[in-house]
Structure formats: C-alpha cells, structure tokens
Amino acid sequence: MEKGSGAAAGGTARPPPMPQFDEFPFEGKKPVKNPFVPIGALVTAGVLTAGLVSFRYGNSRLGQKLMRARVVAQGVTVALMVGSAYYYGDQIKLFKKGSSPEL
C-alpha cells in the first residue's frame, strides 16, 4: 500500500486550500429585496397546502379552485420577481456608470 494515499490508508485527507480573492465580486452592491416576493411565496405555499388538504379529505371541487388560485398566486409572485429584477437591474447599471441609484 502507498504512503501518499491518505484516506485509503486510514489517515485523514486534508481538503484543498481555499482560493484567495483580491476583490470581493459583489463589493459595493447593496442587496435589494422586494418584500412582496416572500409574501407571494408564502401565499402560494399556503394555498397549495390548503388545496392538498382538501383533496385529502375528498373535497375535489374546493381542491380544484384552490389549485387554480395557486397558479394565479404563483404567476403574480413570478411577475413580481421579474419586475423587481428589471427595475433594480436598471438602477444597478446606473450605479456602475457613476450616478447613484435612487433606492
């Protein structure tokens, strides 16, 4: 058996060293959060849960209505995500050009 095989010989293998960055890639960027996106995600999850529970208890008519409501809630959440990314993406581009963003 070879001495250099580390873990195979019963020893502990060391992980490779972490790469060193001269600059942090997101330095100067402020994280932007849209409070409606997590609310939309919670509403979507709540409607989904209610729909699955109603299917479980045999109320398929209510379950179908809740599943349709879930699709609407999910669509609104995705639209909010895309809209906020578009809106704040333009402001980050302006920030890069030298003018300060209006947040």
Side-chain angles (χ1 to χ4, degrees):
M1 189 172 269
E2 298 177 22
K3 281 190 170 187
S5 60
T12 58
R14 290 187 176 189
M18 294 294 293
Q20 298 295 322
F21 295 108
D22 292 335
E23 291 183 21
F24 185 66
F26 301 109
E27 189 172 333
K29 291 185 181 179
K30 183 178 179 181
V32 180
K33 294 190 178 188
N34 185 347
F36 297 115
V37 173
I39 292 170
L42 288 174
V43 168
T44 302
V47 173
L48 173 65
T49 303
L52 292 174
V53 168
S54 67
F55 278 129
R56 176 77 173 139
Y57 288 116
N59 194 351
S60 62
R61 182 169 286 197
L62 177 62
Q64 282 297 326
K65 287 182 181 180
L66 287 169
M67 288 298 129
R68 290 181 187 131
R70 177 198 53 89
V71 170
V72 171
Q74 195 169 357
V76 169
T77 303
V78 169
L80 283 170
M81 288 170 52
V82 170
S84 65
Y86 179 75
Y87 177 75
Y88 290 116
D90 284 347
Q91 295 210 354
I92 289 173
K93 287 177 189 174
L94 290 174
F95 182 69
K96 284 182 181 178
K97 288 183 181 177
S99 62
S100 63
E102 296 175 19
L103 295 177

